Amino acid sequence: MRQSAIEIQRLDVEEGMRAIEFRSGDEPPRMLIADDDPSIVRLLADHCARMGFDVDTAHNGIQALLKASRTKPDIIVIDVNMPEVDGLSACAHLLGPDRPPVNVIVITGSKDPDTLERCEGFGAHYARKGPQFWDDLESALTEIHPRMAERIQKLSMREVAAPQIRRRPRVLLVDDDNDINRLLSSRLEKCGIDAAYAPDAPQGFRMACRDEPAVIVTDYFMPNGDAQYLLTRLRTTEATANIPVIVLTGRTLNEVTVQNLKREIRGHPGAAQVLRKSEDTFVLFETLKKFCGFEPASINSDDLRNPPPN
């Protein structure tokens, strides 16, 4: 991975168009940050909350649409490349003529002129990954909410190293069977996904806290703690509370166990899916696609349909 950042460019549909400032008095502006990289979401959310924004977060396009409709944020910071619904498609819906006005900063590493043109059409801020992350982000926020300029400047992180922007999604595999880990890791690499693996739940939890993967795929039965133990540790830790978890099992689990795995823990989601190891990996990879946004065409579908060993 390399360190990069975000360069903000202000794009107005009409010359002289001004940013909209919604709230008055002491009520903090509402901000929604949407990105499928948990480390970026947490870093931006922490910094913007310190600046005085009332921050909510989303980890994919569908979640961003649902939260934006419910909370009606004043400003949305949204990544272009997200699974399920990409950032530009979300903007097309959120910035429609029948929707309430909102300031948007679109984040992308692409230099595609079509992306720039679509942002111009939305009247959005265009955020391109480059060398001036904090300076340009804070400048954009000051433009949108000038009454917060003093606080934004006071808490500036312009001297702090730019966050690491992950080029490829990362999946953490947690299983005491290294054959499973190697098999899935090889197939994930063919899909353009970085894979790491841990032999048990305690090490998997430590790696999740350190690396903040896009998804965790875990075995159910393991020494030193099963999948329920791992889920509980993840959901009671801020950095890992919303990382999607897929549970694999070589044994049949009863309905009560499956429901317990999927049940919310302290307001955070349980297992996104519980799958049998005896099922072909095509089902697993279709589930992963929802969270990682890769194209399964990049790997032979026959390979995906060969089940992993029990």
Side-chain angles (χ1 to χ4, degrees):
M1 295 186 295
R2 65 179 179 84
Q3 284 195 328
S4 60
I6 295 176
E7 177 182 339
I8 303 287
Q9 300 173 1
R10 180 62 173 125
L11 300 172
D12 295 328
V13 177
E14 301 177 10
E15 184 176 354
M17 176 180 175
R18 300 179 63 186
I20 307 162
E21 193 164 13
F22 297 89
R23 301 182 187 277
S24 59
D26 296 327
E27 185 177 1
R30 294 176 185 160
M31 174 185 288
L32 176 64
I33 299 172
D35 197 304
D36 59 331
D37 186 333
S39 61
I40 298 299
V41 169
R42 188 160 62 93
L43 182 64
L44 290 176
D46 288 349
H47 182 45
C48 291
R50 286 196 301 271
M51 288 190 291
F53 292 95
D54 180 5
V55 178
D56 196 4
T57 61
H59 298 273
N60 59 58
I62 289 179
Q63 190 178 36
L65 288 172
L66 292 173
K67 288 197 171 188
S69 296
R70 184 173 72 247
T71 64
K72 296 178 173 55
D74 303 318
I75 180 170
I76 298 174
V77 180
I78 188 167
D79 185 29
V80 167
N81 297 312
M82 291 190 295
E84 299 193 57
V85 176
D86 65 85
L88 291 179
S89 297
C91 284
H93 177 77
L94 294 169
L95 298 173
D98 58 337
R99 306 289 296 181
V102 61
N103 289 292
V104 174
I105 301 174
V106 178
I107 301 173
T108 178
S110 172
K111 296 182 180 180
D112 182 4
D114 290 339
T115 300
L116 177 60
E117 184 177 348
R118 290 187 68 184
C119 288
E120 288 178 330
F122 296 142
H125 294 260
Y126 175 73
R128 184 170 60 83
K129 294 172 185 176
Q132 301 295 325
F133 181 82
W134 295 118
D135 181 71
D136 295 332
L137 176 63
E138 291 162 9
S139 295
L141 293 175
T142 298
E143 179 183 344
I144 293 171
H145 290 287
R147 67 184 176 85
M148 300 178 66
E150 183 177 352
R151 183 169 180 82
I152 291 172
Q153 184 177 7
K154 181 179 178 180
L155 296 173
S156 176
M157 293 181 66
R158 294 176 183 183
E159 302 302 320
V160 177
Q164 293 181 330
I165 307 296
R166 201 170 285 166
R167 285 184 171 182
R168 308 197 324 170
R170 176 177 297 162
V171 171
L172 174 61
L173 307 171
V174 185
D175 199 313
D176 58 320
D177 186 340
N178 282 333
D179 289 336
I180 295 289
N181 288 329
R182 283 192 290 267
L183 173 69
L184 294 179
S185 178
S186 174
R187 294 178 179 179
L188 288 166
E189 289 288 341
K190 291 179 181 179
C191 291
I193 298 174
D194 292 330
Y197 52 86
D200 60 21
Q203 186 170 337
F205 171 69
R206 290 192 295 271
M207 292 178 66
C209 291
R210 183 191 68 200
D211 298 338
E212 297 187 73
V215 186
I216 297 171
V217 179
T218 181
D219 188 21
Y220 180 78
F221 294 98
M222 294 178 292
N224 305 318
D226 61 13
Q228 188 66 63
Y229 166 81
L230 177 59
L231 269 167
T232 302
R233 293 292 304 276
L234 293 168
R235 295 305 180 246
T236 53
T237 302
E238 182 182 359
T240 59
N242 292 296
I243 298 175
V245 176
I246 300 170
V247 177
L248 295 180
T249 176
R251 310 178 196 177
T252 301
L253 302 179
N254 62 48
E255 187 63 25
V256 173
T257 300
V258 172
Q259 291 304 316
N260 284 338
L261 287 168
K262 293 184 176 181
R263 183 174 292 121
E264 285 190 354
I265 300 173
R266 295 190 181 181
H268 300 291
Q273 190 67 270
V274 180
L275 302 174
R276 285 289 304 273
K277 283 186 181 178
S278 58
E279 297 183 45
D280 61 48
T281 54
F282 182 83
V283 178
L284 170 61
F285 275 65
E286 283 295 303
T287 304
L288 284 171
K289 182 185 175 185
K290 295 178 181 179
F291 301 108
C292 298
F294 67 89
E295 291 298 329
S298 59
I299 182 171
N300 189 305
S301 60
D302 291 335
D303 290 339
L304 292 178
R305 291 191 177 279
N306 292 328
N310 290 312

